[in-house]
């Protein structure tokens, strides 16, 4: 009997909360928002990688390639400071183990030296020349691109407002 009393006392807060739930049946509605918006900026992500038996030589190749990319962006869009048409961010170098062509198990491991690069192109008229030049450069791999809006938060707020309006319309119906 004592166990039943303890169980009822333990569950009583849950019973109090259950009273606040609406009685069935009730309706759930959702809303959707849709906007056709052309992108006004693009982003390019890729790795600059090099392999050399001498890691210092591989690092030098990567540093030279990154400087070539910086020069390309300045040539195409002006200096990256301020409101330049493009900005570059280069992450620290890392080394990744490479499949060795040497079948000798005692051979030292081979490493690729890599550095991740992120470019934001704010003026899409510069997109094509920048991409064509990057695609011709050696030591660039794992390239991916995305497009977006510089006023993304404003667009998201408009979409949320449209979705709420649609949900209210559906609830009224």
């Amino acid at each position: 009997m004592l166990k039943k009393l303890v169980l009822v006392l333990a569950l009583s807060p849950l019973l109090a909360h259950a009273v606040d739930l609406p009685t069935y049946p009730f309706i759930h509605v959702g809303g959707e928002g849709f906007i056709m918006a052309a992108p006004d900026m693009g982003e390019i992500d890729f790795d600059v990688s090099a392999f050399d038996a001498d890691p210092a030589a591989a690092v030098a190749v990567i540093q030279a390639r990154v400087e070539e990319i910086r020069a390309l962006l300045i040539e195409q869009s002006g200096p990256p400071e301020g409101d330049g048409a493009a900005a570059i961010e280069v992450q620290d170098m890392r080394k990744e183990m490479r499949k060795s062509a040497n079948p000798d198990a005692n051979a030292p491991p081979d490493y690729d030296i890599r550095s991740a690069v992120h470019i934001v192109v704010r003026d899409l008229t510069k997109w094509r020349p920048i991409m064509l030049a990057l695609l011709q450069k050696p030591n660039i791999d794992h390239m991916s691109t995305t497009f977006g809006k510089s006023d993304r938060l404003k667009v998201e707020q408009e979409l949320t407002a449209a979705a709420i309006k649609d949900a209210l319309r559906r609830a009224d119906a």
Side-chain angles (χ1 to χ4, degrees), residues 43-47 117 119 127 131 141-146:
E43 298 181 52
I44 308 166
D45 292 290
F46 56 90
D47 284 345
V117 178
I119 298 174
W127 181 264
M131 279 301 291
D141 58 2
H142 300 110
M143 185 176 282
S144 68
T145 60
T146 57

Side-chain angles (χ1 to χ4, degrees), residues 2-3 48 51 94 141 155 160-161:
L2 182 61
K3 287 183 183 179
V48 178
F51 169 75
R94 64 190 186 280
D141 58 2
V155 171
T160 301

Side-chain angles (χ1 to χ4, degrees), residues 47 62 91-96 112-116 142:
D47 284 345
I62 289 175
Q91 295 181 1
D92 292 335
M93 290 187 208
R94 64 190 186 280
K95 64 181 184 177
E96 295 179 1
D112 276 329
I113 307 296
R114 295 184 174 276
S115 184
H142 300 110

Side-chain angles (χ1 to χ4, degrees), residues 19-38:
V19 173
D20 295 334
L21 293 175
T23 57
Y24 279 93
F26 57 93
I27 299 172
H28 293 273
V29 293
E32 295 178 350
F34 181 79
I35 297 175
M36 293 276 297

Side-chain angles (χ1 to χ4, degrees), residues 79-125:
E81 298 85 27
D83 289 338
I88 184 170
E89 178 184 327
V90 180
Q91 295 181 1
D92 292 335
M93 290 187 208
R94 64 190 186 280
K95 64 181 184 177
E96 295 179 1
M97 191 170 277
R98 179 181 206 193
K99 276 190 173 180
S100 179
N102 188 352
D104 182 14
N106 295 327
D110 292 333
Y111 292 100
D112 276 329
I113 307 296
R114 295 184 174 276
S115 184
V117 178
H118 178 79
I119 298 174
V120 177
V121 181
R122 293 184 198 93
D123 179 2
L124 289 181
T125 62

